[in-house]
Amino acid sequence: MSRRTRRRLAADAALLVVAAAFALPLVWLVLSSVNAGATLRVRLPEPPTLDNFSAVMTDEITFTPMLNSLLLCGGATLITVGCAAPAAYPLSRFHARFSRPYLLTLLFATCLPITAVMVPVYGLFVQVNLIDTMYGTALFLAASQLPFAIWLMKNFMDGVPKSLEEAAWTDGASWPQTLLRIVLPLMGPGLAVVTVYTFIMMWGNFFVPFMLLLSPEQLPASVSVFTFFGSEGSVAFGQLAAFSVLYSTPVILLYVLIARRLGGGVALGGAVKG
């Protein structure tokens, strides 16, 4: 066996180990969700049952927290994307002296741990009466994701030819009109990437709503997962797995709905011809 073949087999084996490490928790999640006596071990249910789903599909445990998550993360995503597009447009189209330092500052802002700013944010929210409000939490989630969303949006906008906007300006269009009618439609896949990434990052956020929302009826699903952790270290593993499957459904559906947009490129064939 040649050295090249051995290296390839070793690389394939390493990739299989990494894939198994990622797949094992998912397999446990699916099997435990239909296992009435689920534990931390991965084993086939005998027999499969939907009792875990029946136990968690109530207003208090699943439906109300899921609705809160959809309102919170959906609203914050709309704010983030709506602010990132006009913020990224001048960075992509105009080359000012401080554009690069500003972009580097945005990139640095994405590296700040959220736990480092939560204490002053909590104090600020108390002072301005935004604590325990859904809209206040959505605004902070949007602000925390905005720097990276601007960075991503700017990179996708760079792929749209400026000559198309110049032609629109010649016809009397303003820059907001060129942004809404030319740039954003042509960068549809990039816009979908920014939207999905932003929503996923907010959907899995536990710490921010846990700190800023106090009323149990306003807590999202990422926080209500505490329901399945009882006293003295007991955990309802089967119900926890069933809830996790339901909790993952909106993100999967969102990806499926826009997968066709993600698969396409920026369709500019012939757009700048002539």
Side-chain angles (χ1 to χ4, degrees):
M1 186 179 300
S2 64
R3 178 180 298 179
R4 182 178 180 180
T5 303
R6 289 197 300 268
R7 289 180 177 177
R8 186 177 61 184
L9 291 176
D12 292 341
L15 290 176
L16 287 175
V17 171
V18 173
F22 279 95
L24 190 61
L26 299 178
V27 172
W28 176 88
L29 190 68
V30 174
L31 294 180
S32 298
S33 65
V34 293
N35 187 355
T39 62
L40 286 176
R41 295 180 57 187
V42 178
R43 58 190 179 92
L44 294 175
E46 298 178 359
T49 178
L50 297 179
D51 291 345
N52 293 324
F53 289 94
S54 300
V56 302
M57 293 182 70
T58 63
D59 289 337
E60 182 181 359
I61 297 178
T62 298
F63 295 126
T64 299
M66 290 284 281
L67 179 60
N68 291 338
S69 291
L70 288 174
L71 293 175
L72 183 65
C73 300
T77 299
L78 290 177
I79 295 173
T80 302
V81 176
C83 294
Y89 183 75
L91 294 174
S92 175
R93 290 300 185 256
F94 307 109
H95 300 285
R97 178 180 179 182
F98 299 104
S99 294
R100 182 173 176 80
Y102 181 72
L103 286 172
L104 293 177
T105 302
L106 286 177
L107 189 61
F108 171 76
T110 64
C111 302
L112 292 175
I114 200 70
T115 53
V117 298
M118 278 310 301
V119 172
V121 166
Y122 184 88
L124 176 64
F125 271 48
V126 171
Q127 292 293 326
V128 298
N129 295 323
L130 285 179
I131 198 71
D132 198 25
T133 59
M134 192 75 73
Y135 63 90
T137 306
L139 287 174
F140 179 71
L141 284 173
S144 63
Q145 293 298 321
L146 187 59
F148 195 69
I150 294 175
W151 181 274
L152 279 180
M153 195 82 72
K154 185 263 180 189
N155 289 333
F156 284 115
M157 282 185 181
D158 289 343
V160 179
K162 191 176 180 180
S163 56
L164 299 177
E165 298 170 70
E166 293 173 347
W169 293 336
T170 303
D171 293 335
S174 61
W175 76 263
Q177 291 175 325
T178 59
L179 175 63
L180 293 175
R181 298 182 181 181
I182 296 178
V183 178
L184 291 181
L186 289 176
M187 56 170 288
L191 192 63
V193 168
V194 176
T195 302
V196 172
Y197 175 83
T198 302
F199 184 83
I200 291 176
M201 294 300 293
M202 294 178 181
W203 187 260
N205 195 308
F206 165 82
F207 191 65
V208 171
F210 178 73
M211 291 292 296
L212 300 181
L213 295 175
L214 307 178
S215 302
E217 63 273 10
Q218 294 194 90
L219 294 178
S222 59
V223 180
S224 66
V225 72
F226 267 143
T227 305
F228 308 103
F229 293 85
S231 60
E232 299 180 359
S234 62
V235 182
F237 289 108
Q239 296 181 16
L240 176 61
F243 179 82
S244 300
V245 171
L246 296 175
Y247 180 59
S248 305
T249 302
V251 175
I252 296 174
L253 290 178
L254 176 64
Y255 176 78
V256 171
L257 289 175
I258 66 172
R260 299 177 65 180
R261 299 283 292 175
L262 290 175
V266 180
L268 300 176
V272 297
K273 187 176 181 180

